[in-house]
Amino acid sequence: MPRLVMHIDLDAFYTAVEQRDHPAWRGRPLIVGAAPGRRGVVATCSYEARRFGVHSAMPISEAVRRLPAETVYVRPNMARYAEVSREIMRVLGTLAPVVEPVSIDEAYLDVSGLERLVGPPEVVARRTKAAIREAVGLTASVGIGPNRLIAKLASDARKPDGLLVVRPEEVRAFLDPMPLAALRGVGAVTARRLEQAGLRTVGDVRSRPLEELRRRLGARTGTQVHLQSNGIADDRVHPATERQSISKETTFAEDVEDSDVLRDTLRWAAQEVGYLARHDARKGTVVTLKIRLHPFETHTRSRTLAAPSADDRVIFDAAWDLYRADTHAGRAVRLIGLGLSGWAQAPVQSDLFAEIDTREQDPADDRLDATLDAIRRRFGRHCIQRGLSRRP
DNA sequence: TCTGGGGTCCTAGGACCC
DNA sequence: TCTGGGGTCCTAGGACCC
């Protein structure tokens, strides 16, 4: 039996939650993201803000230039969004047997076989939207198609509050006029390569032989692009998968040259990563240092540990060694951070409790703020900015 | 315009082993 | 003394996604 995949995408999720919770912000341009005047980008903007040409990932400085004075700017409240997300995923779980969350505001559902129970795909989609609206008071866009690619493009096609079902016989006509970036795995670089070959749309890609695409993009990407342009893509929906790495990084408000600041920031990152790993009952074998130098040059250095660890000090020591071993001494640092990956096969719970926890107290958000405040107090002008998470 | 943070996956060279 | 081919691990970087 042909598979039927549904993709659900909340509309302007972060700003929608904020406008729901703050009636005074409804109907106004609203930005969730970096603070104006600081380094950073727009995470999500309300539809009122999009009318001014603002979009996610735009530098906040550019957004400020474009938006009127009545615009509201807020920092992300991730704990709140995660809470709403959990409720949405719970509701989705009551509608279909397999739910695959792909991010805080997106999920795939396998709705094959729901036809006999619920009705045609349009009815399944309408019920899903209604259930989300009833549970959390937010609108979602829903797309249904024969595979993940088509379902996702279908949910994008009618945003906001959209609903589109694309049947197998409609797939080619639906795909052909789409821009190259509609295909999964085609970003700025791959799109540019294809444009240089005179291709503009998915239909153009479909008209080219597989061999040419493989030659231009490499065997793997070329094949994927070829298959997708013909409407062929993964139609499986899996339950949530395990994460492969944990990382913490921060961009400084001003570039930093003082190695004491870098060391303290790495220590903070190691505490966060170590805590999250222990909380997940995991030990990692690879520590990766990430550093972004002035003006915007990113490097990573990694090291395999002698033994798997979730110990703040072990993680910090490895990262600090990597930092000192490198030759960027004296250069201004824009960002620094670290990650832990390469999980040990069978983490032993009791071992994890023996790991050294160098945090001062509770793992709550205020502890992180306290740590950052301490760094700010000590190194006044090097204000560390809290992170944010980009959402469309 | 001046570019966040948290991730995944792929590639490719070199080391090392058989 | 000069030389295979394959497999796996480690490391660095990059493209991409949300």
CSV table of all heavy atoms in Angstrom, one decimal, chain A residues 65 243-245 247 249 251 334 388-390, chain B residues 1-11:
chain,number,residue,atom,x,y,z
A,65,ARG,N,17.0,48.4,11.2
A,65,ARG,CA,16.9,49.4,10.2
A,65,ARG,C,15.6,49.4,9.4
A,65,ARG,O,15.1,50.4,9.0
A,65,ARG,CB,18.1,49.2,9.2
A,65,ARG,CG,19.3,50.1,9.4
A,65,ARG,CD,20.2,50.0,8.3
A,65,ARG,NE,20.9,48.7,8.2
A,65,ARG,CZ,22.0,48.4,9.0
A,65,ARG,NH1,22.4,49.3,9.9
A,65,ARG,NH2,22.5,47.3,8.9
A,243,ARG,N,20.4,11.6,20.1
A,243,ARG,CA,21.4,12.6,19.6
A,243,ARG,C,22.8,12.1,19.7
A,243,ARG,O,23.1,11.3,20.5
A,243,ARG,CB,21.2,13.9,20.4
A,243,ARG,CG,21.6,13.9,21.9
A,243,ARG,CD,21.8,15.3,22.3
A,243,ARG,NE,21.5,15.4,23.7
A,243,ARG,CZ,21.4,16.6,24.3
A,243,ARG,NH1,21.4,17.7,23.6
A,243,ARG,NH2,21.1,16.7,25.6
A,244,GLN,N,23.6,12.7,18.8
A,244,GLN,CA,24.9,12.2,18.6
A,244,GLN,C,26.0,13.0,19.3
A,244,GLN,O,27.2,12.6,19.4
A,244,GLN,CB,25.3,12.2,17.1
A,244,GLN,CG,24.3,11.4,16.2
A,244,GLN,CD,24.3,9.9,16.6
A,244,GLN,OE1,25.3,9.3,16.7
A,244,GLN,NE2,23.1,9.4,16.9
A,245,SER,N,25.6,14.3,19.7
A,245,SER,CA,26.6,15.1,20.3
A,245,SER,C,25.9,16.2,21.1
A,245,SER,O,24.7,16.4,21.0
A,245,SER,CB,27.5,15.8,19.2
A,245,SER,OG,26.6,16.7,18.4
A,247,SER,N,26.8,20.2,22.7
A,247,SER,CA,27.8,21.2,22.6
A,247,SER,C,27.3,22.5,23.2
A,247,SER,O,26.1,22.7,23.3
A,247,SER,CB,28.2,21.5,21.1
A,247,SER,OG,27.1,21.9,20.3
A,249,GLU,N,28.4,26.8,23.0
A,249,GLU,CA,29.3,27.8,22.4
A,249,GLU,C,28.7,29.2,22.7
A,249,GLU,O,27.5,29.3,22.9
A,249,GLU,CB,29.5,27.6,20.9
A,249,GLU,CG,28.2,27.8,20.1
A,249,GLU,CD,28.4,27.4,18.6
A,249,GLU,OE1,28.8,26.3,18.4
A,249,GLU,OE2,28.0,28.2,17.8
A,251,THR,N,29.1,33.5,21.4
A,251,THR,CA,29.7,34.6,20.6
A,251,THR,C,29.8,35.8,21.6
A,251,THR,O,28.9,36.2,22.2
A,251,THR,CB,28.9,35.0,19.4
A,251,THR,OG1,28.9,33.9,18.5
A,251,THR,CG2,29.4,36.2,18.7
A,334,ARG,N,36.1,35.7,18.3
A,334,ARG,CA,34.7,36.1,18.2
A,334,ARG,C,33.8,35.1,19.0
A,334,ARG,O,32.8,35.5,19.6
A,334,ARG,CB,34.3,36.2,16.7
A,334,ARG,CG,32.9,36.6,16.5
A,334,ARG,CD,32.6,36.5,15.0
A,334,ARG,NE,31.2,36.8,14.8
A,334,ARG,CZ,30.7,38.1,14.5
A,334,ARG,NH1,31.6,39.0,14.3
A,334,ARG,NH2,29.5,38.3,14.4
A,388,LEU,N,20.5,31.8,21.5
A,388,LEU,CA,19.1,31.7,21.0
A,388,LEU,C,19.1,30.6,19.9
A,388,LEU,O,20.1,30.2,19.4
A,388,LEU,CB,18.6,33.0,20.5
A,388,LEU,CG,19.4,33.6,19.3
A,388,LEU,CD1,18.4,34.2,18.3
A,388,LEU,CD2,20.4,34.6,19.8
A,389,SER,N,17.9,30.2,19.6
A,389,SER,CA,17.8,29.2,18.7
A,389,SER,C,16.9,29.7,17.5
A,389,SER,O,15.9,30.2,17.7
A,389,SER,CB,17.0,28.0,19.4
A,389,SER,OG,17.7,26.8,19.1
A,390,ARG,N,17.5,29.5,16.3
A,390,ARG,CA,16.8,30.1,15.2
A,390,ARG,C,15.6,29.2,14.8
A,390,ARG,O,15.6,28.0,14.7
A,390,ARG,CB,17.8,30.2,14.0
A,390,ARG,CG,17.2,30.9,12.8
A,390,ARG,CD,17.9,30.6,11.6
A,390,ARG,NE,16.9,30.4,10.5
A,390,ARG,CZ,17.1,29.5,9.6
A,390,ARG,NH1,18.2,28.8,9.5
A,390,ARG,NH2,16.2,29.4,8.6
B,1,DT,P,26.3,47.3,3.7
B,1,DT,OP1,26.4,45.9,3.2
B,1,DT,OP2,26.2,48.4,3.0
B,1,DT,O5',25.6,47.3,5.2
B,1,DT,C5',24.2,47.3,5.4
B,1,DT,C4',23.9,46.1,6.3
B,1,DT,O4',23.5,45.0,5.4
B,1,DT,C3',25.1,45.5,7.1
B,1,DT,O3',25.0,46.0,8.4
B,1,DT,C2',24.9,44.0,7.0
B,1,DT,C1',23.7,43.8,6.1
B,1,DT,N1,24.0,42.8,5.0
B,1,DT,C2,24.1,41.5,5.4
B,1,DT,O2,24.0,41.1,6.6
B,1,DT,N3,24.4,40.6,4.4
B,1,DT,C4,24.5,40.9,3.0
B,1,DT,O4,24.7,40.0,2.2
B,1,DT,C5,24.4,42.3,2.7
B,1,DT,C7,24.5,42.7,1.3
B,1,DT,C6,24.1,43.1,3.7
B,2,DC,P,26.4,46.2,9.2
B,2,DC,OP1,26.1,47.0,10.4
B,2,DC,OP2,27.5,46.6,8.3
B,2,DC,O5',26.8,44.7,9.7
B,2,DC,C5',25.8,43.9,10.3
B,2,DC,C4',26.3,42.5,10.4
B,2,DC,O4',26.4,41.9,9.1
B,2,DC,C3',27.8,42.4,10.9
B,2,DC,O3',27.9,41.2,11.6
B,2,DC,C2',28.6,42.3,9.6
B,2,DC,C1',27.6,41.4,8.9
B,2,DC,N1,27.9,41.2,7.4
B,2,DC,C2,27.7,39.9,6.9
B,2,DC,O2,27.3,39.0,7.6
B,2,DC,N3,27.9,39.7,5.5
B,2,DC,C4,28.3,40.7,4.8
B,2,DC,N4,28.5,40.5,3.5
B,2,DC,C5,28.6,42.0,5.3
B,2,DC,C6,28.3,42.2,6.7
B,3,DT,P,27.4,41.1,13.1
B,3,DT,OP1,26.7,42.4,13.5
B,3,DT,OP2,28.4,40.6,14.0
B,3,DT,O5',26.3,40.0,12.9
B,3,DT,C5',26.6,38.7,13.1
B,3,DT,C4',26.0,37.8,12.1
B,3,DT,O4',26.3,38.3,10.7
B,3,DT,C3',26.7,36.5,12.2
B,3,DT,O3',26.1,35.7,13.1
B,3,DT,C2',26.6,35.9,10.8
B,3,DT,C1',26.7,37.2,9.9
B,3,DT,N1,28.1,37.4,9.5
B,3,DT,C2,28.6,36.6,8.4
B,3,DT,O2,27.9,35.8,7.9
B,3,DT,N3,29.9,36.9,8.1
B,3,DT,C4,30.7,37.8,8.6
B,3,DT,O4,31.8,38.0,8.1
B,3,DT,C5,30.2,38.6,9.7
B,3,DT,C7,31.0,39.6,10.4
B,3,DT,C6,28.9,38.3,10.1
B,4,DG,P,26.9,35.1,14.3
B,4,DG,OP1,27.8,36.1,14.9
B,4,DG,OP2,27.4,33.8,13.8
B,4,DG,O5',25.7,34.7,15.3
B,4,DG,C5',25.3,35.7,16.3
B,4,DG,C4',24.7,34.9,17.4
B,4,DG,O4',23.5,34.3,17.0
B,4,DG,C3',25.6,33.7,17.9
B,4,DG,O3',25.4,33.5,19.2
B,4,DG,C2',25.0,32.5,17.0
B,4,DG,C1',23.6,32.9,16.9
B,4,DG,N9,23.0,32.6,15.6
B,4,DG,C8,23.5,33.0,14.3
B,4,DG,N7,22.8,32.5,13.3
B,4,DG,C5,21.8,31.8,13.9
B,4,DG,C6,20.8,31.0,13.3
B,4,DG,O6,20.6,30.9,12.2
B,4,DG,N1,20.0,30.4,14.3
B,4,DG,C2,20.2,30.5,15.7
B,4,DG,N2,19.4,29.8,16.4
B,4,DG,N3,21.2,31.2,16.2
B,4,DG,C4,22.0,31.8,15.3
B,5,DG,P,26.2,32.4,20.0
B,5,DG,OP1,26.3,32.8,21.4
B,5,DG,OP2,27.5,32.1,19.2
B,5,DG,O5',25.3,31.1,19.9
B,5,DG,C5',24.1,31.1,20.6
B,5,DG,C4',23.5,29.8,20.5
B,5,DG,O4',23.0,29.6,19.1
B,5,DG,C3',24.5,28.6,20.7
B,5,DG,O3',23.8,27.7,21.6
B,5,DG,C2',24.7,28.0,19.3
B,5,DG,C1',23.4,28.3,18.6
B,5,DG,N9,23.4,28.4,17.2
B,5,DG,C8,24.3,29.1,16.4
B,5,DG,N7,24.0,29.0,15.1
B,5,DG,C5,22.9,28.3,15.1
B,5,DG,C6,22.1,27.8,13.9
B,5,DG,O6,22.3,28.1,12.8
B,5,DG,N1,21.0,27.1,14.3
B,5,DG,C2,20.7,26.8,15.6
B,5,DG,N2,19.5,26.1,15.8
B,5,DG,N3,21.4,27.2,16.7
B,5,DG,C4,22.5,27.9,16.3
B,6,DG,P,24.5,26.5,22.2
B,6,DG,OP1,24.0,26.4,23.6
B,6,DG,OP2,25.9,26.5,21.8
B,6,DG,O5',23.8,25.3,21.4
B,6,DG,C5',22.4,25.0,21.5
B,6,DG,C4',22.0,23.9,20.6
B,6,DG,O4',22.1,24.5,19.2
B,6,DG,C3',23.0,22.8,20.6
B,6,DG,O3',22.3,21.6,20.8
B,6,DG,C2',23.6,22.8,19.2
B,6,DG,C1',22.6,23.5,18.4
B,6,DG,N9,23.1,24.1,17.2
B,6,DG,C8,24.3,24.9,17.1
B,6,DG,N7,24.5,25.3,15.9
B,6,DG,C5,23.5,24.7,15.1
B,6,DG,C6,23.3,24.7,13.7
B,6,DG,O6,23.9,25.3,12.9
B,6,DG,N1,22.1,24.0,13.4
B,6,DG,C2,21.3,23.3,14.3
B,6,DG,N2,20.3,22.7,13.8
B,6,DG,N3,21.5,23.3,15.6
B,6,DG,C4,22.6,24.0,15.9
B,7,DG,P,23.0,20.2,21.2
B,7,DG,OP1,22.4,19.7,22.4
B,7,DG,OP2,24.5,20.4,21.1
B,7,DG,O5',22.6,19.4,20.0
B,7,DG,C5',23.5,19.0,19.0
B,7,DG,C4',22.7,18.9,17.7
B,7,DG,O4',22.8,20.2,17.0
B,7,DG,C3',23.3,17.9,16.7
B,7,DG,O3',22.8,16.7,17.0
B,7,DG,C2',22.8,18.5,15.4
B,7,DG,C1',22.7,20.0,15.7
B,7,DG,N9,23.8,20.8,15.0
B,7,DG,C8,24.8,21.4,15.6
B,7,DG,N7,25.6,22.1,14.7
B,7,DG,C5,25.0,21.8,13.5
B,7,DG,C6,25.3,22.2,12.2
B,7,DG,O6,26.3,22.9,11.9
B,7,DG,N1,24.5,21.7,11.2
B,7,DG,C2,23.4,20.9,11.5
B,7,DG,N2,22.7,20.5,10.5
B,7,DG,N3,23.1,20.5,12.7
B,7,DG,C4,23.9,21.0,13.7
B,8,DT,P,23.5,15.4,16.5
B,8,DT,OP1,22.8,14.2,17.1
B,8,DT,OP2,25.0,15.6,16.6
B,8,DT,O5',23.2,15.4,14.9
B,8,DT,C5',21.9,15.3,14.5
B,8,DT,C4',21.9,15.2,12.9
B,8,DT,O4',22.5,16.4,12.4
B,8,DT,C3',22.9,14.0,12.5
B,8,DT,O3',22.2,13.1,11.7
B,8,DT,C2',24.0,14.7,11.8
B,8,DT,C1',23.5,16.1,11.4
B,8,DT,N1,24.6,17.1,11.5
B,8,DT,C2,25.0,17.7,10.4
B,8,DT,O2,24.5,17.5,9.3
B,8,DT,N3,26.0,18.6,10.6
B,8,DT,C4,26.6,18.9,11.8
B,8,DT,O4,27.5,19.7,11.8
B,8,DT,C5,26.1,18.2,12.9
B,8,DT,C7,26.8,18.5,14.2
B,8,DT,C6,25.1,17.3,12.8
B,9,DC,P,23.0,11.7,11.4
B,9,DC,OP1,21.9,10.7,11.2
B,9,DC,OP2,24.1,11.5,12.3
B,9,DC,O5',23.6,12.0,10.0
B,9,DC,C5',22.9,12.7,8.9
B,9,DC,C4',23.8,13.1,7.8
B,9,DC,O4',24.6,14.2,8.2
B,9,DC,C3',24.9,12.0,7.5
B,9,DC,O3',24.8,11.7,6.1
B,9,DC,C2',26.2,12.6,7.9
B,9,DC,C1',25.9,14.0,7.8
B,9,DC,N1,26.8,14.8,8.7
B,9,DC,C2,27.5,15.9,8.2
B,9,DC,O2,27.4,16.2,7.0
B,9,DC,N3,28.3,16.6,9.0
B,9,DC,C4,28.4,16.3,10.3
B,9,DC,N4,29.2,17.0,11.1
B,9,DC,C5,27.7,15.2,10.9
B,9,DC,C6,26.9,14.5,10.0
B,10,DC,P,25.6,10.5,5.4
B,10,DC,OP1,24.8,9.9,4.4
B,10,DC,OP2,26.3,9.7,6.5
B,10,DC,O5',26.8,11.3,4.7
B,10,DC,C5',26.4,12.4,3.8
B,10,DC,C4',27.6,13.0,3.2
B,10,DC,O4',28.2,13.8,4.3
B,10,DC,C3',28.7,12.1,2.8
B,10,DC,O3',29.1,12.3,1.5
B,10,DC,C2',29.9,12.3,3.8
B,10,DC,C1',29.6,13.7,4.3
B,10,DC,N1,30.1,13.9,5.7
B,10,DC,C2,31.0,15.0,6.0
B,10,DC,O2,31.4,15.7,5.0
B,10,DC,N3,31.4,15.1,7.2
B,10,DC,C4,30.9,14.4,8.2
B,10,DC,N4,31.4,14.6,9.5
B,10,DC,C5,30.0,13.3,8.0
B,10,DC,C6,29.6,13.1,6.7
B,11,DT,P,30.1,11.4,0.7
B,11,DT,OP1,29.7,11.4,-0.7
B,11,DT,OP2,30.4,10.2,1.5
B,11,DT,O5',31.5,12.3,0.8
B,11,DT,C5',31.4,13.7,0.5
B,11,DT,C4',32.8,14.2,0.7
B,11,DT,O4',33.1,14.5,2.1
B,11,DT,C3',34.0,13.3,0.2
B,11,DT,O3',34.9,14.1,-0.5
B,11,DT,C2',34.6,12.8,1.5
B,11,DT,C1',34.3,14.0,2.5
B,11,DT,N1,34.2,13.6,3.9
B,11,DT,C2,34.9,14.4,4.8
B,11,DT,O2,35.6,15.3,4.5
B,11,DT,N3,34.8,14.0,6.1
B,11,DT,C4,34.0,13.0,6.6
B,11,DT,O4,34.0,12.8,7.8
B,11,DT,C5,33.3,12.2,5.6
B,11,DT,C7,32.5,11.0,6.1
B,11,DT,C6,33.5,12.6,4.3
